[in-house]
Amino acid sequence: MIYQITDAGVRTGKNFKDFNNKYHILLEESECTPCGGDFVVYCNNQDLDFLQDKARVSNIMFGNFFRKDNSAKIFSIVNIILTALILFTK
């Protein structure tokens, strides 16, 4: 279990993936203090803002990785249209 102690209260989660998705942050095991089989982290408002920003930045990089490039498709369509125009005008 992961326990995050904040000014607003205590947040809990079963594992890091679920915890990060539930609270829209990016918390890593190295940032937590192990306490038996559990992990505990103390955060103030600035720390929470930083963890949320870290999650946003990682999503931007991940989103750009899968962005589609349509320029080759558009170039092919324009090329076919121009070729057809040249063939039919002669």
Side-chain angles (χ1 to χ4, degrees):
M1 290 283 293
I2 296 109
Y3 298 98
Q4 183 182 37
I5 301 170
T6 64
D7 297 335
V10 178
R11 297 176 173 181
T12 62
K14 290 185 179 183
N15 56 33
F16 284 101
K17 182 179 178 185
D18 294 337
F19 187 80
N20 290 336
N21 287 338
K22 183 176 181 181
Y23 297 112
H24 306 291
I25 62 173
L26 185 58
L27 184 66
E28 298 172 358
E29 186 175 341
S30 61
E31 298 170 339
C32 300
T33 304
C35 185
D38 299 331
F39 293 96
V40 178
V41 64
Y42 299 96
C43 294
N44 57 19
N45 288 335
Q46 292 175 341
D47 296 334
L48 289 174
D49 290 340
F50 175 75
L51 292 173
Q52 289 173 349
D53 290 342
K54 206 164 80 167
R56 287 187 200 117
V57 168
S58 71
N59 285 336
I60 289 170
M61 286 187 238
F62 190 71
N64 287 340
F65 183 70
F66 289 107
R67 187 172 44 179
K68 291 176 63 177
D69 184 23
N70 291 331
S71 60
K73 184 178 180 181
I74 293 171
F75 180 73
S76 298
I77 292 171
V78 169
N79 191 9
I80 291 170
I81 292 172
L82 289 175
T83 304
L85 287 173
I86 291 170
L87 287 175
F88 291 124
T89 56
K90 288 188 177 184

